[in-house]
Amino acid sequence: MKRKGLAILMVLLLSFAFLLPLLSAQGTRADYERAAGLRGKIQGLALNLPERPSWIDKTSRFWYRKTVKAGFEFDVVDAATLTKKPAFDHAKLAASLIAATGEKFEGQKFPFQAIDFVDNEKAVAVDVGASRWRVDLSTYACTRIGPAERRGRFGFGGGPGRPPAPSQEPRVSPDGKWEGFIKNHNVWLRTKDKKEEFPLSWEGTEGDHYELQSLRWSPDSKKLAAYRIRPGYHRKIQYVESSPADQLQPKYSTYEYEKPGDVLDSCQPVLFQVEAKKQIIIDDSLFPNPYYTPGLGPNEYSMPDAVWWKDSRAFTFEYNQRGHQVYRIIEVDAATGKARAMVNEESKTFFCYYSNKYRFDVQDGKEIIWTSERDGWNHLYLYDGPTGTVKNQITKGSWRVRGVDKVDEAARQVWFRASGMKPGQDPYFIHYCRINFDGSGLTVFTEGDGSHLVSFSPDMAYYVDTWSRVDLPPVMELRLTSDKKILMQVEKTDIQELVKAGWHAPEVFVAKGRDGQTDIWGVILRPMTFNPKKKYPVIEYIYAGPHGSFVPKTFSAYSAMQSLAELGFIVAQCDGMGTNNRSKAFHDVCWKNIGDAGFPDRILWHKAIAAKYPSYDISRVGIYGGSAGGQNSTAALLFHPEFYKVAVSFAGCHDNRMDKISWNEQWMGWPIGPEYAASSNVDNAWRLQGKLFLIVGELDTNVDPASTMQVVNALIKANKTFDLLVIPGGSHGAGRSSEVPEYGDRKRNDFFVHNLLGVEPPDWNKTEAKK
């Protein structure tokens, strides 16, 4: 019996020794503290990390900001003399600014990120708080010169945003003789001295009216183009702000918001010949069903702008047909009012006007440079303006044009960005190029195996190339455009202190997608305390919006995914099929199937990692994301519960019929078909398996909060168990960016710790009582 008991004890001890790596140091309070303090711990440890340079007026000099131990340093480089020096005496400027503004900061942690050289570089102008200050570089005297000019970038907060209200001032003709205005819904003209006025149109009514902001004068002041608008259905979302800061009772508001399938405004172009007082209503055979919304934001398609040729022979506008499968540049002859298509773009799936469109008119419309994916990749084409035929394809190959930086009409050259053109490199890396209009003379200015950010000097004689990868810190090089020769290595980022602090780079991982041929690229982030002998649950961060690609490609010392990994997870991200910036076929996977979200590729990618690394435990996989990622993460549990077990979804657009019209009809098509229901998290809520946590802000104007609440309703009807957090006053970033991120992140982290690690999170209510 003793021997038998001893044997049992030995088995238990061996089992415990085997399980110890699986059970220890994951999801503890120490892990939480390390995760919360990670940003502060590593902030500033990557030294000489440069930001994008800015050329000073039309000189051969540029300034840039870089990290130093004391904070930041601003330097100036002269490309002609190859000299580098501080932009100013940092200690003197800091002391002077503190004295003048009262703004307190330590060392060189200046309260501004950018400078402007003024007064022939004798001074710099900076924004501190709400004010703009001039700092004399000889005396360092500070003078307030007005309100702040520079503005930060928009974050997650809010929705599409409204453009400034259009001017209601009359539209004055180029020769100054006439004023165009709207009276009783019609177009009128009057002389500048207001002694004479008369109508140009008569048929406008409340329900079919002319818009003042659409009036466009021809350069010769003899013609006027305008749009007559027939209003569609202007949907309004109703909001209740439950807990306003300035009063006890709730507040109520509305927000105009078109959704897929809504009847849209129609716009009819009209030409007026002033001397003859003649109206010509343009035949709409070439543009019968325009997609037009009232300018809700930068990615909405607002009223097509009538653009006159400089010689006043005609005007053009762009026609996006409802459904986004036909896109045309329409030219209207000023003498006859006859319309013709200068460019006719048609697709069996979608024309990606949302992010891929580019147009440049050469020599007043004699030629047009246009982007198209007609050969399977996004490339540049040269059109003959008068005939509307393609003269030649400018760029070609199994790679894509990502943007155009400059068109040199005199030299007949295009300066552009591209990705996928370097065999053996990540196909998302950006490279900078130049090519002749006829497709000859392709020159690639960037060489390093990384993603590049280039800034050319005003005369294009020099360029600064800053490049990096997620696993390679930035290098900044000054090069000569004529032969690409390196003139100076301006900066090379030093990460020695960062590495000493325990930082390690994300791992880039590539695996084949669903077709067995296409590479799927992603990154893997492990905790700083990573032990390869242990098993770690996997959490995927997902955003599968078809308008872009989202896996990071450049260096960053800090990542929010790394903070999550510190709790005892391996966090990963990849771009599956259906996202942008690869081939047209890769992108088309999302067509009328946004619920796919690249999951067949993602799952294979995860399995390939697990096959290589035993520590990558795909029996415990979580997923999280916001907005489109909110839809995707919930869909993971509905459509792929055999793989994904836990999901956290922020502000999800869970049903594409409930979300903004522009983004959703672009990918899901029009008119609304059964595909919308097939991809809907609401209609498929009954499928839920696993653990789901939904988070929504009650005032989200980007995605209707009802989208989340309808999922909640469907889950309740299906008798499903789930978690819900509604954030009072929260908008689209509620719980994950600028709005109570600590609370939202902690709730997300707790959910993963509890359901993937099987560990009870710390009791956050056991805190020291407030004094």
Side-chain angles (χ1 to χ4, degrees), residues 557-634:
Y558 172 77
S559 167
M561 290 188 286
Q562 186 66 53
S563 287
L564 179 57
E566 294 309 312
L567 296 176
F569 303 107
I570 297 178
V571 183
Q573 183 184 4
C574 68
D575 283 315
M577 292 187 189
T579 51
N580 202 353
N581 297 324
R582 296 285 288 277
S583 68
K584 176 65 171 163
F586 190 101
H587 201 186
D588 277 349
V589 170
C590 73
W591 173 237
K592 294 189 175 183
N593 189 24
I594 208 165
D596 177 276
F599 280 122
D601 313 301
R602 297 171 186 277
I603 292 171
L604 288 171
W605 185 79
H606 287 296
K607 288 181 176 179
I609 300 172
K612 183 176 181 179
Y613 299 115
S615 59
Y616 201 84
D617 186 359
I618 56 172
S619 70
R620 297 178 291 168
V621 180
I623 189 168
Y624 74 103
S627 196
Q631 178 183 15
N632 305 146
S633 50
T634 295

Side-chain angles (χ1 to χ4, degrees), residues 54-269:
S54 294
W55 293 89
I56 302 171
D57 297 326
K58 296 182 179 181
T59 71
S60 62
R61 297 183 299 281
F62 64 88
W63 68 264
Y64 67 98
R65 188 176 79 146
K66 69 176 183 180
T67 56
V68 293
K69 288 186 177 181
F72 293 94
E73 179 176 301
F74 292 82
D75 285 345
V76 171
V77 172
D78 190 325
T81 62
L82 300 182
T83 57
K84 181 174 76 169
K85 63 179 182 180
F88 43 76
D89 186 314
H90 290 66
K92 287 183 179 180
L93 187 140
S96 182
L97 268 181
I98 290 172
T101 68
E103 186 86 16
K104 302 296 183 182
F105 55 91
E106 297 178 357
Q108 293 178 201
K109 297 177 181 178
F110 297 103
F112 54 85
Q113 298 178 6
I115 61 176
D116 287 309
F117 282 95
V118 295
D119 301 336
N120 295 319
E121 301 178 48
K122 294 178 181 178
V124 292
V126 298
D127 290 341
V128 178
S131 299
R132 190 160 181 81
W133 295 81
R134 179 189 181 278
V135 184
D136 187 293
L137 294 183
S138 59
T139 66
Y140 286 88
C142 296
T143 307
R144 186 184 182 280
I145 55 176
E149 293 184 5
R150 295 184 183 271
R151 297 292 182 267
R153 295 178 179 177
F154 291 103
F156 274 116
R162 299 291 178 180
S167 170
Q168 297 304 309
E169 293 298 316
R171 300 315 193 242
V172 179
S173 61
D175 63 9
K177 294 180 179 180
W178 298 99
E179 291 182 343
F181 64 101
I182 303 299
K183 182 177 181 180
N184 194 29
H185 313 294
N186 282 286
V187 178
W188 283 63
L189 287 187
R190 65 181 170 224
T191 56
K192 192 67 182 296
D193 60 12
K194 298 180 175 55
K195 291 182 178 180
E196 177 189 2
E197 68 176 39
F198 53 86
L200 289 177
S201 72
W202 298 86
E203 78 284 5
T205 65
E206 293 91 339
D208 197 5
H209 61 276
Y210 285 90
E211 291 271 4
L212 176 65
Q213 59 265 35
S214 77
L215 301 187
R216 295 292 185 272
W217 281 101
S218 62
D220 64 6
S221 301
K222 294 181 179 180
K223 282 87 66 177
L224 188 64
Y227 285 101
R228 195 177 68 235
I229 307 299
R230 180 174 296 170
Y233 174 55
H234 290 192
R235 179 186 301 276
K236 294 183 184 296
I237 299 177
Q238 310 291 325
Y239 290 93
V240 177
E241 184 179 2
S242 64
S243 310
D246 59 347
Q247 65 183 49
L248 176 64
Q249 298 301 324
K251 290 183 177 180
Y252 308 92
S253 61
T254 61
Y255 191 83
E256 190 169 312
Y257 190 106
E258 282 76 15
K259 295 184 178 182
D262 283 355
V263 177
L264 298 179
D265 294 5
S266 65
C267 48
Q268 169 64 55

Side-chain angles (χ1 to χ4, degrees), residues 373-441:
E373 293 183 290
R374 65 191 61 175
D375 76 343
W377 299 87
N378 197 47
H379 279 301
L380 297 170
Y381 292 79
L382 183 66
Y383 273 79
D384 180 72
T387 64
T389 58
V390 176
K391 297 180 72 172
N392 60 268
Q393 185 172 348
I394 301 174
T395 60
K396 61 181 63 176
S398 298
W399 48 272
R400 65 180 289 115
V401 172
R402 295 287 293 271
V404 174
D405 296 310
K406 179 181 179 179
V407 175
D408 187 335
E409 295 186 60
R412 295 184 66 78
Q413 294 178 327
V414 184
W415 304 66
F416 66 97
R417 282 160 279 133
S419 61
M421 66 190 320
K422 293 273 190 177
Q425 289 192 12
D426 186 324
Y428 296 93
F429 283 167
I430 302 292
H431 287 277
Y432 285 70
C433 317
R434 182 185 65 207
I435 196 168
N436 297 325
F437 281 12
D438 63 5
S440 66

